Amino acid sequence: MVKRLDDNDLASIDHIGLALWRAAHDWRHRMRAELAARGYPWHESAAGEVLAHLGPSGISQALLTERMGLSKQAVQQLVDQLEVLGVVGRAPDPHDGRAKRIVLTELGLADFAERNKVKRLIEQQYRDKLGPEAFAALEAALARLAQ
Amino acid sequence: MVKRLDDNDLASIDHIGLALWRAAHDWRHRMRAELAARGYPWHESAAGEVLAHLGPSGISQALLTERMGLSKQAVQQLVDQLEVLGVVGRAPDPHDGRAKRIVLTELGLADFAERNKVKRLIEQQYRDKLGPEAFAALEAALARLAQ
DNA sequence: CTAAATCGTCAAGTCGCTTGACTAGCACGG
DNA sequence: CCGTGCTAGTCAAGCGACTTGACGATTTAG
Protein backbone atom coordinates (compact mmCIF):
# COMPACT_ATOMS: atom_id res chain seq x y z
CA MET A 1 0.00 0.00 0.00
CA VAL A 2 1.63 3.16 -1.18
CA LYS A 3 -0.04 5.82 0.89
CA ARG A 4 -3.03 6.02 3.12
CA LEU A 5 -4.76 9.33 2.65
CA ASP A 6 -6.22 11.33 5.47
CA ASP A 7 -9.61 11.25 3.96
CA ASN A 8 -10.02 7.59 3.19
CA ASP A 9 -12.61 7.48 5.89
CA LEU A 10 -14.38 10.59 4.76
CA ALA A 11 -16.21 9.18 1.78
CA SER A 12 -19.22 9.32 4.02
CA ILE A 13 -19.31 13.07 4.07
CA ASP A 14 -20.17 13.42 0.43
CA HIS A 15 -23.92 13.21 0.72
CA ILE A 16 -26.90 14.92 -0.77
CA GLY A 17 -27.21 17.26 2.17
CA LEU A 18 -23.81 18.67 1.44
CA ALA A 19 -24.69 19.04 -2.23
CA LEU A 20 -27.83 20.93 -1.27
CA TRP A 21 -25.84 23.10 1.07
CA ARG A 22 -23.31 23.95 -1.59
CA ALA A 23 -25.94 24.69 -4.20
CA ALA A 24 -27.84 26.95 -1.83
CA HIS A 25 -24.70 28.83 -0.96
CA ASP A 26 -23.73 29.15 -4.59
CA TRP A 27 -27.07 30.72 -5.37
CA ARG A 28 -26.87 33.06 -2.43
CA HIS A 29 -23.35 34.07 -3.30
CA ARG A 30 -24.18 34.80 -6.94
CA MET A 31 -27.18 36.83 -5.95
CA ARG A 32 -25.35 38.89 -3.35
CA ALA A 33 -22.23 39.43 -5.41
CA GLU A 34 -24.13 40.42 -8.53
CA LEU A 35 -26.31 42.89 -6.66
CA ALA A 36 -23.31 44.35 -4.87
CA ALA A 37 -21.53 44.72 -8.21
CA ARG A 38 -24.53 46.59 -9.57
CA GLY A 39 -24.39 49.16 -6.81
CA TYR A 40 -26.53 47.62 -4.07
CA PRO A 41 -23.82 46.56 -1.62
CA TRP A 42 -26.06 46.02 1.40
CA HIS A 43 -27.00 42.65 -0.04
CA GLU A 44 -23.60 41.49 1.16
CA SER A 45 -24.72 42.03 4.75
CA ALA A 46 -27.50 40.48 6.77
CA ALA A 47 -29.63 43.57 6.28
CA GLY A 48 -30.13 42.63 2.64
CA GLU A 49 -32.34 39.73 3.72
CA VAL A 50 -34.94 42.23 4.85
CA LEU A 51 -35.40 43.36 1.28
CA ALA A 52 -36.36 39.86 0.21
CA HIS A 53 -39.51 40.31 2.26
CA LEU A 54 -40.29 43.84 1.28
CA GLY A 55 -42.19 45.03 -1.77
CA PRO A 56 -43.47 48.39 -3.00
CA SER A 57 -46.49 48.28 -0.71
CA GLY A 58 -44.39 48.05 2.42
CA ILE A 59 -44.81 45.85 5.46
CA SER A 60 -45.22 46.24 9.17
CA GLN A 61 -42.20 45.53 11.28
CA ALA A 62 -44.09 42.90 13.24
CA LEU A 63 -45.10 40.99 10.12
CA LEU A 64 -41.58 41.28 8.79
CA THR A 65 -40.33 39.78 12.05
CA GLU A 66 -42.69 36.86 11.70
CA ARG A 67 -41.67 36.23 8.10
CA MET A 68 -37.97 36.37 8.80
CA GLY A 69 -38.14 34.10 11.80
CA LEU A 70 -35.94 36.36 13.90
CA SER A 71 -36.46 38.28 17.11
CA LYS A 72 -38.09 41.67 16.69
CA GLN A 73 -34.95 43.31 18.04
CA ALA A 74 -32.85 41.68 15.35
CA VAL A 75 -35.20 42.86 12.64
CA GLN A 76 -35.19 46.32 14.12
CA GLN A 77 -31.42 46.45 13.91
CA LEU A 78 -31.39 45.30 10.30
CA VAL A 79 -34.04 47.84 9.35
CA ASP A 80 -32.06 50.52 11.18
CA GLN A 81 -29.11 49.79 8.92
CA LEU A 82 -31.17 50.01 5.77
CA GLU A 83 -32.73 53.23 7.01
CA VAL A 84 -29.33 54.81 7.54
CA LEU A 85 -28.38 53.73 4.03
CA GLY A 86 -31.51 55.35 2.68
CA VAL A 87 -32.96 52.14 1.25
CA VAL A 88 -36.05 52.04 3.43
CA GLY A 89 -37.99 54.42 5.63
CA ARG A 90 -40.35 54.05 8.56
CA ALA A 91 -43.83 55.51 8.39
CA PRO A 92 -46.43 55.47 11.16
CA ASP A 93 -49.27 53.05 10.50
CA PRO A 94 -52.53 55.03 10.11
CA HIS A 95 -54.59 52.19 11.56
CA ASP A 96 -52.43 51.33 14.54
CA GLY A 97 -50.63 53.85 16.67
CA ARG A 98 -48.09 51.34 17.89
CA ALA A 99 -47.10 50.00 14.51
CA LYS A 100 -44.77 51.40 11.91
CA ARG A 101 -44.65 50.45 8.27
CA ILE A 102 -41.35 49.79 6.60
CA VAL A 103 -41.48 51.26 3.11
CA LEU A 104 -39.07 51.39 0.21
CA THR A 105 -37.50 54.71 -0.68
CA GLU A 106 -36.76 55.55 -4.29
CA LEU A 107 -33.43 53.82 -3.90
CA GLY A 108 -35.21 50.88 -2.36
CA LEU A 109 -37.56 50.64 -5.33
CA ALA A 110 -34.60 50.62 -7.70
CA ASP A 111 -33.13 47.83 -5.62
CA PHE A 112 -36.38 45.91 -5.83
CA ALA A 113 -36.38 46.11 -9.62
CA GLU A 114 -32.74 45.13 -9.88
CA ARG A 115 -33.27 42.18 -7.57
CA ASN A 116 -35.88 40.78 -9.90
CA LYS A 117 -33.59 41.18 -12.87
CA VAL A 118 -30.74 39.44 -11.13
CA LYS A 119 -32.97 36.66 -9.92
CA ARG A 120 -34.06 35.95 -13.49
CA LEU A 121 -30.49 36.16 -14.69
CA ILE A 122 -29.24 33.58 -12.23
CA GLU A 123 -32.21 31.32 -12.81
CA GLN A 124 -31.32 31.40 -16.48
CA GLN A 125 -27.72 30.52 -15.71
CA TYR A 126 -28.92 27.49 -13.80
CA ARG A 127 -31.32 26.51 -16.56
CA ASP A 128 -28.54 26.77 -19.10
CA LYS A 129 -26.28 24.62 -17.01
CA LEU A 130 -28.83 21.90 -16.36
CA GLY A 131 -31.01 21.98 -19.43
CA PRO A 132 -34.70 22.77 -19.16
CA GLU A 133 -35.88 19.28 -18.17
CA ALA A 134 -33.36 18.80 -15.39
CA PHE A 135 -34.04 22.32 -14.17
CA ALA A 136 -37.74 21.61 -14.02
CA ALA A 137 -37.04 18.34 -12.26
CA LEU A 138 -34.94 20.17 -9.70
CA GLU A 139 -37.66 22.70 -9.11
CA ALA A 140 -40.23 19.96 -8.75
CA ALA A 141 -38.11 17.94 -6.34
CA LEU A 142 -37.42 20.97 -4.16
CA ALA A 143 -41.08 21.92 -4.12
CA ARG A 144 -41.93 18.38 -3.11
CA LEU A 145 -39.44 18.45 -0.28
CA ALA A 146 -40.82 21.72 1.01
CA GLN A 147 -44.27 20.27 1.55
CA MET B 1 -61.57 44.73 -4.05
CA VAL B 2 -61.86 43.19 -0.65
CA LYS B 3 -58.39 43.42 0.69
CA ARG B 4 -54.99 44.11 -0.72
CA LEU B 5 -52.45 41.88 0.91
CA ASP B 6 -49.05 43.03 1.97
CA ASP B 7 -47.36 40.48 -0.11
CA ASN B 8 -49.02 40.96 -3.44
CA ASP B 9 -45.76 42.27 -4.74
CA LEU B 10 -43.71 39.52 -3.23
CA ALA B 11 -44.50 36.78 -5.73
CA SER B 12 -41.04 37.44 -7.03
CA ILE B 13 -39.38 36.12 -3.93
CA ASP B 14 -40.53 32.59 -4.49
CA HIS B 15 -37.69 31.40 -6.64
CA ILE B 16 -35.57 28.31 -6.91
CA GLY B 17 -32.82 29.88 -4.86
CA LEU B 18 -35.13 30.17 -1.91
CA ALA B 19 -36.28 26.59 -2.40
CA LEU B 20 -32.68 25.44 -2.38
CA TRP B 21 -32.02 27.48 0.72
CA ARG B 22 -34.94 25.98 2.54
CA ALA B 23 -34.08 22.45 1.52
CA ALA B 24 -30.49 22.87 2.61
CA HIS B 25 -31.57 24.24 5.95
CA ASP B 26 -34.09 21.49 6.41
CA TRP B 27 -31.40 18.88 5.88
CA ARG B 28 -29.01 20.61 8.22
CA HIS B 29 -31.67 21.00 10.85
CA ARG B 30 -32.75 17.38 10.72
CA MET B 31 -29.17 16.24 10.94
CA ARG B 32 -28.30 18.45 13.87
CA ALA B 33 -31.49 17.85 15.79
CA GLU B 34 -31.36 14.11 15.35
CA LEU B 35 -27.75 13.89 16.46
CA ALA B 36 -28.44 16.14 19.42
CA ALA B 37 -31.39 13.97 20.37
CA ARG B 38 -29.16 10.91 20.25
CA GLY B 39 -26.75 12.40 22.75
CA TYR B 40 -24.31 14.31 20.59
CA PRO B 41 -25.42 17.87 21.31
CA TRP B 42 -22.35 19.64 19.94
CA HIS B 43 -23.79 19.20 16.48
CA GLU B 44 -26.11 22.05 17.37
CA SER B 45 -23.13 24.39 17.55
CA ALA B 46 -20.58 25.44 14.95
CA ALA B 47 -18.04 23.06 16.43
CA GLY B 48 -19.99 20.14 15.04
CA GLU B 49 -18.93 21.12 11.53
CA VAL B 50 -15.42 20.09 12.40
CA LEU B 51 -16.55 16.50 12.79
CA ALA B 52 -17.80 16.44 9.22
CA HIS B 53 -14.17 16.67 8.14
CA LEU B 54 -12.73 14.29 10.65
CA GLY B 55 -12.49 10.52 10.37
CA PRO B 56 -10.89 7.77 12.47
CA SER B 57 -7.45 8.43 11.02
CA GLY B 58 -7.40 12.04 12.19
CA ILE B 59 -6.31 15.15 10.39
CA SER B 60 -3.83 17.94 10.87
CA GLN B 61 -5.24 21.22 12.03
CA ALA B 62 -3.80 22.98 8.99
CA LEU B 63 -5.48 20.62 6.55
CA LEU B 64 -8.70 20.89 8.49
CA THR B 65 -8.47 24.66 8.19
CA GLU B 66 -8.05 24.41 4.44
CA ARG B 67 -11.00 22.03 4.10
CA MET B 68 -13.31 24.15 6.20
CA GLY B 69 -12.45 27.38 4.46
CA LEU B 70 -12.10 29.26 7.72
CA SER B 71 -9.22 31.07 9.38
CA LYS B 72 -6.90 28.85 11.39
CA GLN B 73 -7.89 30.72 14.53
CA ALA B 74 -11.53 29.93 13.97
CA VAL B 75 -10.77 26.25 13.50
CA GLN B 76 -8.62 26.30 16.59
CA GLN B 77 -11.47 27.68 18.64
CA LEU B 78 -13.90 25.07 17.35
CA VAL B 79 -11.43 22.27 18.04
CA ASP B 80 -10.86 23.71 21.52
CA GLN B 81 -14.54 23.32 22.23
CA LEU B 82 -14.64 19.74 21.05
CA GLU B 83 -11.54 18.98 23.08
CA VAL B 84 -13.14 20.32 26.25
CA LEU B 85 -16.15 18.16 25.50
CA GLY B 86 -13.91 15.15 25.12
CA VAL B 87 -14.88 14.45 21.53
CA VAL B 88 -11.46 15.00 20.00
CA GLY B 89 -7.89 15.18 21.23
CA ARG B 90 -4.70 16.77 19.97
CA ALA B 91 -1.65 14.60 19.37
CA PRO B 92 1.75 15.82 18.24
CA ASP B 93 2.56 14.90 14.65
CA PRO B 94 5.53 12.50 14.61
CA HIS B 95 6.78 13.85 11.29
CA ASP B 96 6.46 17.55 11.99
CA GLY B 97 7.24 19.16 15.30
CA ARG B 98 5.04 22.15 14.59
CA ALA B 99 1.96 20.24 13.61
CA LYS B 100 -0.67 18.59 15.75
CA ARG B 101 -3.08 15.95 14.66
CA ILE B 102 -6.71 16.19 15.62
CA VAL B 103 -7.92 12.73 16.50
CA LEU B 104 -11.22 11.27 17.60
CA THR B 105 -11.55 10.04 21.16
CA GLU B 106 -13.71 7.04 21.93
CA LEU B 107 -16.65 9.37 22.22
CA GLY B 108 -15.66 10.94 18.92
CA LEU B 109 -15.62 7.54 17.25
CA ALA B 110 -19.09 6.81 18.54
CA ASP B 111 -20.16 10.16 17.15
CA PHE B 112 -18.64 9.27 13.80
CA ALA B 113 -20.60 6.05 13.63
CA GLU B 114 -23.82 7.72 14.69
CA ARG B 115 -23.36 10.44 12.12
CA ASN B 116 -23.25 7.90 9.36
CA LYS B 117 -26.37 6.21 10.63
CA VAL B 118 -28.26 9.48 10.81
CA LYS B 119 -27.07 10.52 7.39
CA ARG B 120 -28.46 7.33 5.90
CA LEU B 121 -31.66 7.75 7.84
CA ILE B 122 -32.32 11.22 6.54
CA GLU B 123 -31.35 10.30 3.03
CA GLN B 124 -33.91 7.56 3.24
CA GLN B 125 -36.55 10.00 4.46
CA TYR B 126 -35.88 12.16 1.44
CA ARG B 127 -35.93 9.20 -0.89
CA ASP B 128 -39.25 8.12 0.56
CA LYS B 129 -40.70 11.56 0.13
CA LEU B 130 -39.57 11.98 -3.46
CA GLY B 131 -39.55 8.47 -4.82
CA PRO B 132 -36.35 6.91 -6.08
CA GLU B 133 -36.40 8.47 -9.55
CA ALA B 134 -36.95 12.02 -8.38
CA PHE B 135 -34.37 11.54 -5.67
CA ALA B 136 -31.84 10.37 -8.22
CA ALA B 137 -32.75 13.30 -10.46
CA LEU B 138 -32.21 15.68 -7.56
CA GLU B 139 -28.83 14.17 -6.82
CA ALA B 140 -27.85 14.38 -10.48
CA ALA B 141 -28.97 17.99 -10.84
CA LEU B 142 -27.10 19.04 -7.73
CA ALA B 143 -23.97 17.25 -8.87
CA ARG B 144 -24.24 18.98 -12.21
CA LEU B 145 -24.57 22.36 -10.57
CA ALA B 146 -21.52 21.74 -8.43
CA GLN B 147 -19.27 21.29 -11.44
C1' DC C 1 -62.70 50.22 32.13
C1' DT C 2 -59.38 47.68 33.70
C1' DA C 3 -56.23 43.66 32.38
C1' DA C 4 -53.75 41.50 29.09
C1' DA C 5 -51.62 41.25 24.80
C1' DT C 6 -49.05 43.61 20.96
C1' DC C 7 -45.66 47.05 18.58
C1' DG C 8 -41.70 49.04 18.83
C1' DT C 9 -37.32 50.67 21.42
C1' DC C 10 -33.03 50.72 24.37
C1' DA C 11 -29.42 48.09 26.51
C1' DA C 12 -26.47 44.38 27.28
C1' DG C 13 -24.66 39.93 26.29
C1' DT C 14 -23.44 35.58 23.40
C1' DC C 15 -21.72 33.14 19.40
C1' DG C 16 -19.11 32.58 15.42
C1' DC C 17 -16.02 34.27 13.13
C1' DT C 18 -12.02 37.80 11.71
C1' DT C 19 -7.52 40.38 11.82
C1' DG C 20 -3.21 41.28 14.26
C1' DA C 21 0.78 39.98 16.69
C1' DC C 22 3.62 36.39 18.19
C1' DT C 23 6.53 31.76 19.04
C1' DA C 24 8.32 27.29 17.66
C1' DG C 25 9.78 24.30 14.21
C1' DC C 26 10.95 23.28 9.21
C1' DA C 27 13.29 24.00 4.45
C1' DC C 28 16.56 25.48 1.54
C1' DG C 29 20.07 28.37 -0.96
C1' DG C 30 24.49 29.90 -0.02
C1' DC D 1 25.58 24.51 8.90
C1' DC D 2 23.37 28.66 9.15
C1' DG D 3 20.40 32.49 8.57
C1' DT D 4 16.32 33.88 6.04
C1' DG D 5 11.96 33.01 5.21
C1' DC D 6 7.89 30.01 5.26
C1' DT D 7 4.49 27.17 7.81
C1' DA D 8 1.78 25.25 12.19
C1' DG D 9 -0.18 26.63 15.95
C1' DT D 10 -1.41 29.98 19.85
C1' DC D 11 -3.04 34.31 22.40
C1' DA D 12 -5.69 38.48 22.26
C1' DA D 13 -8.86 41.76 20.74
C1' DG D 14 -12.68 43.06 18.00
C1' DC D 15 -16.82 42.93 14.85
C1' DG D 16 -21.21 41.31 12.91
C1' DA D 17 -25.39 39.04 13.64
C1' DC D 18 -28.00 37.69 16.41
C1' DT D 19 -30.33 36.82 21.48
C1' DT D 20 -32.63 37.84 26.05
C1' DG D 21 -34.33 41.26 29.34
C1' DA D 22 -36.62 45.34 30.64
C1' DC D 23 -39.41 48.97 29.30
C1' DG D 24 -43.20 52.68 27.60
C1' DA D 25 -46.95 53.29 24.40
C1' DT D 26 -50.89 51.70 22.27
C1' DT D 27 -54.72 48.48 21.21
C1' DT D 28 -57.94 44.75 22.24
C1' DA D 29 -60.72 41.70 25.23
C1' DG D 30 -63.46 40.44 29.05
Side-chain angles (χ1 to χ4, degrees), chain B residues 7-146:
Chain B
D7 47 358
N8 269 353
D9 35 37
L10 293 181
S12 62
I13 72 162
D14 220 18
H15 48 60
I16 198 175
L18 199 56
L20 271 173
W21 192 253
R22 282 204 247 267
H25 273 81
D26 178 67
W27 213 94
R28 181 190 179 75
H29 178 255
R30 287 188 194 212
M31 196 80 187
R32 298 176 84 160
E34 184 65 28
L35 281 164
R38 292 177 180 216
Y40 304 92
W42 42 84
H43 287 280
E44 298 272 27
S45 85
E49 285 301 301
V50 167
L51 297 171
H53 300 267
L54 183 50
S57 54
I59 192 173
S60 81
Q61 204 163 302
L63 183 53
L64 183 57
T65 292
E66 188 194 322
R67 296 252 172 95
M68 293 189 71
L70 296 177
S71 67
K72 57 186 177 177
Q73 296 92 328
V75 170
Q76 185 184 10
Q77 289 164 20
L78 299 178
V79 171
D80 282 350
Q81 294 173 32
L82 291 178
E83 197 174 21
V84 167
L85 291 166
V87 186
V88 306
R90 274 186 249 241
D93 185 315
H95 303 327
D96 186 339
R98 300 163 299 177
K100 290 182 186 168
R101 289 192 75 73
I102 314 300
V103 293
L104 290 170
T105 61
E106 223 170 288
L107 178 57
L109 288 167
D111 179 288
F112 180 75
E114 202 68 28
R115 228 161 52 232
N116 281 322
K117 276 187 210 161
V118 171
K119 183 203 76 178
R120 282 187 222 107
L121 172 71
I122 299 178
E123 260 175 4
Q124 193 54 49
Q125 289 172 357
Y126 274 47
R127 211 186 313 267
D128 288 348
K129 197 159 188 175
L130 292 178
E133 317 81 10
F135 183 84
L138 176 60
E139 270 189 314
L142 291 174
R144 192 82 184 282
L145 281 178

Side-chain angles (χ1 to χ4, degrees), chain A residues 84-95:
Chain A
V84 167
L85 291 165
V87 186
V88 307
R90 274 185 248 239
D93 186 316
H95 304 326

Side-chain angles (χ1 to χ4, degrees), chain A residues 16-139:
Chain A
I16 199 174
L18 199 56
L20 270 174
W21 191 252
R22 281 203 248 267
H25 272 81
D26 178 68
W27 175 281
R28 181 190 180 77
H29 178 255
R30 286 187 195 213
M31 197 79 185
R32 298 177 82 159
E34 185 65 29
L35 281 164
R38 292 177 180 216
Y40 303 92
W42 41 85
H43 288 279
E44 299 272 27
S45 86
E49 285 300 302
V50 168
L51 297 170
H53 300 267
L54 182 51
S57 53
I59 192 173
S60 81
Q61 205 163 303
L63 183 53
L64 183 56
T65 292
E66 187 193 323
R67 296 254 172 96
M68 294 189 71
L70 297 176
S71 67
K72 57 187 177 178
Q73 295 92 327
V75 171
Q76 186 185 11
Q77 289 164 20
L78 299 178
V79 171
D80 282 350
Q81 294 173 33
L82 291 177
E83 197 174 22
V84 167
L85 291 165
V87 186
V88 307
R90 274 185 248 239
D93 186 316
H95 304 326
D96 187 337
R98 299 164 299 177
K100 290 182 186 168
R101 289 192 75 72
I102 315 299
V103 294
L104 290 169
T105 61
E106 225 171 284
L107 178 56
L109 288 168
D111 180 288
F112 180 75
E114 202 67 29
R115 228 161 51 232
N116 281 323
K117 279 188 208 162
V118 171
K119 183 204 77 177
R120 282 188 222 106
L121 172 71
I122 299 176
E123 260 175 5
Q124 193 54 49
Q125 289 173 358
Y126 274 48
R127 211 186 312 267
D128 289 349
K129 197 161 188 173
L130 292 178
E133 317 81 10
F135 183 83
L138 176 60
E139 270 187 316

